Amino acid sequence: RIREKRCTSHHSSSELLQHRRTRSLLVRNESLEDEFVKAKAAVESDTEFWDKMQAEWEELARRNWLEDSEGQPQSSPSVSPGEQVYRFNTKNPYREWSNAFAVGQERARDGDLNTAVLLLEAAILQDPQDAEAWQVLGMTQAENENEQAAIVSLQRCLELRPNNLQALMALAVSFTNNGKQHEACDALRGWISHNPRYKHLVPEHRGPPTPARSELQDVLPLFQDAALLNLDCVDPDLQTGLGVLFNLSSDFNKAVEAFTAALSVRPQDYLLWNRLGATLANGSRSEEAVDAYTRALELQPGFIRSRYNLGISCIHLGAHREAVNNFLTALNQQRRSQRCTHQQMSANIWAALRVAVSMLDRPELFQAASVGDLDLLIRAFDVDA
């Protein structure tokens, strides 16, 4: 899909001239220019929630989030081979806490996501077979703008408990975020196959999709048939799955209808508000997306993913300073959590921040963003620390 026209349609001619001047400054530094082009290309895909990020960014985010803070591989005799794909923090202050899981859930609810991750990791290191802890860790990592770690955690949960419907739905969303349509559809097929209300709709034997028929075309009708069983009520989980599938097929209006239906049952679900916002943004409805993200953040102020998405929509609306403020707030929230290093802060947020700063024609601040000087930027933009 072509995004450039939609992105620049919100800009005045003076803003475009400013942007061109900024680019001319960047040309003098080839490495910064390369980074700028990659970052801008990703921002123009609207929101990471539904579109592929640059492959280089995904790899960078994976390294930053899954490796320990000193960059050394972690090995533990208490961790089974299936878990070694997840790199635990080697200096976890909660490693011996007996109630790590319960406190981790509480911190996640409070929006202190990095501390929640450390507590949940501690709980898993104490009991590597705790499927629920893996599930909550995966969903927390996703909220904290750490998709690859979320996928690893949710897959481990499903190895231990294949019929975990919450984990299957969360995994489908995470695969969608990473642009993995086949894997997302596979997870959604698993969700409906394990759901007692709908599993009878899934054929017992099926061959692989033909070249003329995609996995998406196989799974979407199953969810539509399931929806026909609920004409007198709304199943919010089923509607969430439909929303994901309609996003994958770029039918954003139907996806909006599905998420709105789910919200009619769960109006306090900040995850659903964020998904609605991302869908509206991809459907060229950025103003409405801002309202949905704002509602998500009213319900959960520590929701890093929604704060990031709000910043992206601000860029599309030409509100570059507001975008910068949102990205800085998200990064500061991540850093504020105990033992969160610069490497643990989302590479995607830093990249989007650099794009937003570049559009303000402040080269000195773009340099600060390039070297990760968060304190200088917070002072410059008067963001609450």
Side-chain angles (χ1 to χ4, degrees):
R1 296 189 292 275
I2 298 174
R3 302 285 184 176
E4 178 71 23
K5 182 177 180 182
R6 178 154 58 85
C7 181
T8 57
S9 64
H10 300 293
H11 300 159
S12 68
S13 58
S14 62
E15 286 174 319
L16 289 172
L17 286 172
Q18 276 189 336
H19 184 47
R20 291 192 187 104
R21 285 199 300 271
T22 302
R23 282 183 63 92
S24 68
L25 289 169
L26 293 171
V27 167
R28 289 196 289 251
N29 186 321
E30 185 176 349
S31 63
L32 284 181
E33 173 67 7
D34 288 344
E35 181 178 11
F36 174 84
V37 170
K38 289 178 183 178
K40 188 171 185 297
V43 166
E44 285 164 359
S45 70
D46 222 343
T47 132
E48 187 229 314
F49 188 81
W50 299 117
D51 283 319
K52 288 181 180 179
M53 291 300 290
Q54 296 287 334
E56 294 88 348
W57 285 14
E58 291 173 1
E59 177 62 19
L60 178 60
R62 185 191 69 79
R63 290 199 306 268
N64 282 350
W65 282 107
L66 296 183
E67 290 176 3
D68 64 84
S69 58
E70 294 182 345
Q72 299 298 320
Q74 162 74 2
S75 59
S76 168
S78 65
V79 179
S80 73
E83 294 160 36
Q84 289 185 8
V85 292
Y86 188 100
R87 304 289 185 181
F88 293 88
N89 191 300
T90 55
K91 295 183 178 179
N92 191 330
Y94 310 107
R95 179 67 176 85
E96 304 302 328
W97 278 35
S98 59
N99 59 343
F101 179 60
V103 180
Q105 287 181 298
E106 184 180 331
R107 291 295 179 90
R109 284 192 294 270
D110 292 342
D112 187 356
L113 300 181
N114 281 307
T115 300
V117 165
L118 289 173
L119 285 157
L120 293 166
E121 287 184 359
I124 289 168
L125 287 169
Q126 293 168 27
D127 181 6
Q129 306 302 308
D130 189 338
E132 186 181 5
W134 280 109
Q135 174 203 319
V136 177
L137 175 61
M139 296 174 75
T140 304
Q141 290 282 28
E143 287 188 39
N144 203 27
E145 192 56 31
N146 184 4
E147 210 65 77
Q148 194 61 37
I151 289 171
V152 172
S153 303
L154 293 166
Q155 286 177 322
R156 181 60 185 138
C157 168
L158 290 164
E159 288 174 15
L160 296 165
R161 192 181 299 168
N163 63 346
N164 186 317
L165 298 180
Q166 273 191 291
L168 284 162
M169 186 61 72
L171 183 61
V173 172
S174 287
F175 277 136
T176 300
N177 294 346
N178 274 5
K180 298 183 183 298
Q181 177 173 304
H182 176 81
E183 291 83 352
C185 288
D186 233 23
L188 288 171
R189 178 181 287 276
W191 183 89
I192 208 164
S193 298
H194 287 290
N195 193 310
R197 295 178 63 185
Y198 309 123
K199 62 182 181 181
H200 66 279
L201 298 171
V202 181
E204 291 186 16
H205 305 288
R206 69 181 182 100
T210 64
R213 188 172 183 83
S214 68
E215 185 85 2
L216 177 61
Q217 290 171 307
D218 280 341
V219 177
L220 180 55
L222 296 176
F223 276 75
Q224 291 172 317
D225 289 344
L228 295 175
L229 301 176
N230 298 296
L231 294 178
D232 57 343
C233 63
V234 173
D235 180 343
D237 295 317
L238 181 71
Q239 291 297 326
T240 297
L242 275 170
V244 173
L245 289 163
F246 283 131
N247 266 281
L248 288 169
S249 62
S250 299
D251 195 339
F252 300 120
N253 289 334
K254 286 186 178 178
V256 166
E257 291 175 5
F259 287 130
T260 301
L263 281 164
S264 72
V265 179
R266 294 180 184 161
Q268 304 301 307
D269 189 330
Y270 59 90
L271 294 173
L272 281 173
W273 281 108
N274 179 69
R275 290 164 190 166
L276 175 62
T279 303
L280 289 163
N282 270 355
S284 303
R285 297 159 67 177
S286 291
E287 294 90 346
E288 295 170 80
V290 167
D291 292 338
Y293 293 141
T294 300
R295 182 60 182 141
L297 289 166
E298 287 171 356
L299 293 166
Q300 177 55 288
F303 191 1
I304 302 295
R305 161 65 50 80
S306 208
R307 181 73 63 184
Y308 168 74
N309 284 347
L310 176 57
I312 296 294
S313 282
C314 287
I315 286 180
H316 279 278
L317 292 170
H320 302 131
R321 187 180 180 91
E322 290 82 356
V324 168
N325 286 345
N326 278 296
F327 296 140
L328 289 175
T329 298
L331 289 167
N332 197 43
Q333 284 177 320
Q334 288 189 323
R335 184 180 66 170
R336 203 180 291 151
S337 295
Q338 186 171 349
R339 304 189 69 81
C340 181
T341 66
H342 176 75
Q343 287 72 30
Q344 290 174 297
M345 289 187 283
S346 172
N348 296 335
I349 303 176
W350 276 108
L353 171 64
R354 288 191 286 273
V355 172
V357 170
S358 76
M359 291 181 175
L360 294 174
D361 200 21
R362 298 282 299 275
E364 76 284 3
L365 295 181
F366 181 83
Q367 178 63 27
S370 297
V371 299
D373 194 337
L374 187 57
D375 289 324
L376 188 155
L377 290 164
I378 284 174
R379 291 194 301 272
F381 289 99
D382 195 26
V383 173
D384 290 338

